[in-house]
């Protein structure tokens, strides 16, 4: 037994478990173009065309199977209160917004990246940072006279600079050489 709701009609109450009522797992529900259905609860919906609603569609699972390249599409906002689990790619032609981003694997970002706020890279001394690009800005410490560049056990090999300005003492366990001159306001 199929269910047909004529165009222009309105259902009242709740239609539940239509598959059980029809006695068949392949029954057809036909709803006229401008018919209004207040509540329809069905165990399983298979659609070869579009399913549209001006209200809310609540489902435990949305799944696109077969050769549908477009998959499931939403013209308006999609609000999800639970998790999204994907075995394939998640792609967007617009912006993605969220509160937090947690990744457990590698991340590759193509294009320019702007990150606002405080940054922390690594959580132990076994982590490392590699620069494949050149630095195109000044590197300025957050506080004056507070942070070191290198340490007594991990020193930089060479520093190539046009000008070295030091406000305190210069100490060396080796030679200090220059191709030009050294100017000092105190003892050398």
């Amino acid at each position: 037994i199929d269910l047909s709701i004529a165009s222009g009609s309105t259902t009242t109450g709740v239609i539940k478990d239509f598959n059980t009522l029809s006695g068949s797992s392949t029954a057809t529900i036909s709803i006229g173009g401008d018919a209004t259905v207040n509540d329809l609860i069905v165990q399983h919906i298979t659609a070869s065309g579009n399913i549209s609603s001006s209200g809310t569609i609540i489902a435990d699972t949305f799944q696109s199977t077969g050769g549908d390249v477009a998959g499931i599409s939403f013209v308006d906002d999609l609000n999800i209160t639970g998790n999204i689990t994907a075995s394939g790619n998640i792609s967007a032609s617009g912006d993605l917004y969220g509160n937090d981003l947690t990744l457990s694997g590698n991340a590759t970002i193509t294009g320019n990246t702007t990150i606002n706020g405080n940054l922390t890279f690594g959580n132990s001394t076994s982590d490392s940072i590699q620069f494949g690009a050149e630095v195109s800005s000044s590197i300025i410490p957050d506080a004056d006279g507070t942070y070191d560049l290198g340490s007594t056990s991990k020193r930089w090999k060479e520093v190539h600079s046009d000008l070295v300005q030091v406000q305190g003492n210069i100490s060396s366990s080796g030679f200090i050489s220059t191709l030009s001159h050294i100017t000092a306001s105190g003892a050398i």
Side-chain angles (χ1 to χ4, degrees), residues 3-11 29-37:
L3 173 63
S4 179
I5 301 173
S7 177
S9 63
T10 301
T11 65
I29 299 175
S30 176
I31 301 174
D34 57 353
T36 301
V37 178

Side-chain angles (χ1 to χ4, degrees), residues 58-82:
I58 300 172
D60 291 333
T61 304
F62 277 105
Q63 184 177 7
S64 175
T65 59
D68 185 5
V69 176
I72 299 172
S73 62
F74 296 90
V75 176
D76 206 344
D77 296 337
L78 172 63
N79 297 315
I80 298 174
T81 57

Side-chain angles (χ1 to χ4, degrees), residues 1-180:
I1 299 173
D2 295 336
L3 173 63
S4 179
I5 301 173
S7 177
S9 63
T10 301
T11 65
T12 57
V14 178
I15 303 170
K16 286 187 176 181
D17 299 333
F18 179 69
N19 290 342
T20 302
L21 293 175
S22 68
S24 169
S25 62
T26 59
T28 300
I29 299 175
S30 176
I31 301 174
D34 57 353
T36 301
V37 178
N38 291 329
D39 291 296
L40 176 62
I41 299 173
V42 180
Q43 290 177 350
H44 185 91
I45 296 175
T46 301
S48 59
N50 296 328
I51 297 175
S52 62
S53 171
S54 60
T56 302
I57 297 176
I58 300 172
D60 291 333
T61 304
F62 277 105
Q63 184 177 7
S64 175
T65 59
D68 185 5
V69 176
I72 299 172
S73 62
F74 296 90
V75 176
D76 206 344
D77 296 337
L78 172 63
N79 297 315
I80 298 174
T81 57
N83 297 324
I84 297 176
T85 302
S87 59
N89 296 329
I90 297 176
S91 62
S93 59
D95 297 332
L96 295 175
Y97 294 94
N99 292 330
D100 296 307
L101 174 64
T102 302
L103 302 173
S104 60
N106 299 324
T108 301
I109 300 172
T110 303
N112 297 328
T113 303
T114 301
I115 301 174
N116 298 321
N118 298 324
L119 305 176
T120 301
F121 292 102
N123 60 359
S124 72
T125 57
S126 62
D127 297 332
S128 64
I129 299 173
Q130 295 181 358
F131 290 99
E134 296 179 348
V135 178
S136 60
S137 67
S138 299
I139 299 176
I140 300 172
D142 186 52
D144 185 40
T146 304
Y147 304 106
D148 298 329
L149 185 61
S151 69
T152 57
S153 62
K154 291 189 176 182
R155 296 180 297 274
W156 293 99
K157 182 178 178 184
E158 294 181 5
V159 176
H160 300 269
S161 175
D162 286 336
L163 176 65
V164 176
Q165 292 183 339
V166 179
Q167 188 171 343
N169 297 325
I170 296 176
S171 62
S172 173
S173 60
F175 293 104
I176 297 176
S177 63
T178 179
L179 296 177
S180 183

